[in-house]
Amino acid sequence: MTAFVLELGLGLLLLVVFFANLCARGQDRRWVGGVAAAGVLVLTGVSLMVSPAPPALGGMFVQDGLALFAKRLFLTATFIGLLGGLALPGAVFARRAAEYHLLVLGSLLGMLVLASARDLILLFVAFELMSIPLYVLSGFAKREDVAVEAALKFFLVGSVSSAVMAYGLSFVYGAAKTTSLAVVARALPGGDPLLVLGLLLAFTGFGFKIAAFPFHMWVPDTYEAAPTPFVAWLSVAPKAAGFVALFRVYFEGVGPAVAFWVPIAATLATLTIVAGNLMALPQQNAKRLLAYSGIAHIGYMLVGFAAASASGTAMVLFYLVAYVFGNMGAFLVVDAVARSEGSEHLTAFRGLAQRSPLLALAMLLFLLSLGGIPFVAGFWAKLYVFWAAAAAGLYWLVLLGAILTVVALFYYLVVVKRMYIEPPAVTGRVRLERTLALAVLLCALGVVILGVYPNPVVMAALRVAAPLF
């Protein structure tokens, strides 16, 4: 039972939120979200006290260091996302708040199981448990045509990716005669073409899930149309889950033949970095800009993945932690500005430093972190990933990533210019709900603390990545 403590706790929280919704009186049920956020905060605290446990379910479910690291990351991101979501407008949100939070918690349950899955069937089921609520949440504003269109696109692309992944995993099973990743690792050195084809198809399915180029087409439209606090969470937590699954399948599962995947991962990283950064340049909508920026960041993480080493894996994990605070914080500031100005266009940020200097400072920190400027969290994340790639001999990939980092600074600084140099179009402070302000503050603290003192998280990431190799 020790191995399932977080999953059981989350299952209990789902029941509590469900019955709290049934007991709610009146039309406004946003307080149910407070119950969900408090429950996730408690689970986050519990996760810090949980230790690795022996495998369960015949080795299908493991509670090792990687699983615990990932689960703490998922829980932290979900708490920040729920906290920001409490400020969603009542007209859209009040009557369906419980449904929103139940779907978020259901998806989180899929992530927790996914982090512990060491079996192909359990991994696929966990992926779907995580993904299906996301399709519904992306179309939560169901009376808006753009939201319905974006949700439909997300659903169709997600369904195709699931089908491709299942097809690939079925080939892996056919070649290895097992669904256990531990046994698959011993089958690959034989060079079975069916096994290689299966892993290639599965890699394509993972590419859709983490929004790597050219499987990213659902990202900009979905991000633009969905509720922003949900997008903040969608942009980090499911992506982190996708990378943990990649580590499980291609490092634990592939084992000694991991070098076979390095050229593929390096090529995918190159295309993703170039495409994400170049497509972000002309964007004038803040959410679309962050969407394309996020695609580029997936490319930077794939640089660490392409290193195919313990240090590369560890640095991707650290990158994910830094990305949670930097990217979620940026989206939450966009939410606050858009709600105040009624627009997500970059012109809405004009003169923000004069109107709400602390909010502008927070956005500046998040953008500096995403741009990789010293000494905030994103700087160390990029530096460590490049370091790991250089140690693996991928110097050309490091050079390309460094050049594209300079390109990325251009579109981040456009937002900074709007905030600090251009005069405001209107006067008065930006109205900020307390829960949203607290979520932004937590993200800002995360960016600054990790920027000043990253060692504890780096060392923890190195400890959990070492057993994979």
Side-chain angles (χ1 to χ4, degrees), residues 2 50 77 95 105 136 140 148 160 194 226 238 292 316 351 363 374 381 384:
T2 308
V50 173
R95 296 184 62 181
L105 294 179
V136 182
F140 198 73
V148 175
V160 170
L194 189 62
Y292 284 112
V316 174
M363 188 61 168
Y384 290 149

Side-chain angles (χ1 to χ4, degrees), residues 25 128 178 184 248 251 301 305 334 367 370 397:
R25 295 179 183 277
E128 293 309 294
T178 179
V184 171
R248 290 282 186 211
F251 292 156
M301 292 180 225
F305 178 75
V334 169
L367 293 175
L370 293 174
L397 192 51

Side-chain angles (χ1 to χ4, degrees), residues 232-256:
W233 179 70
L234 174 68
S235 68
V236 294
K239 307 292 184 300
F243 270 96
V244 173
L246 277 174
F247 297 152
R248 290 282 186 211
V249 173
Y250 291 91
F251 292 156
E252 280 194 325
V254 172

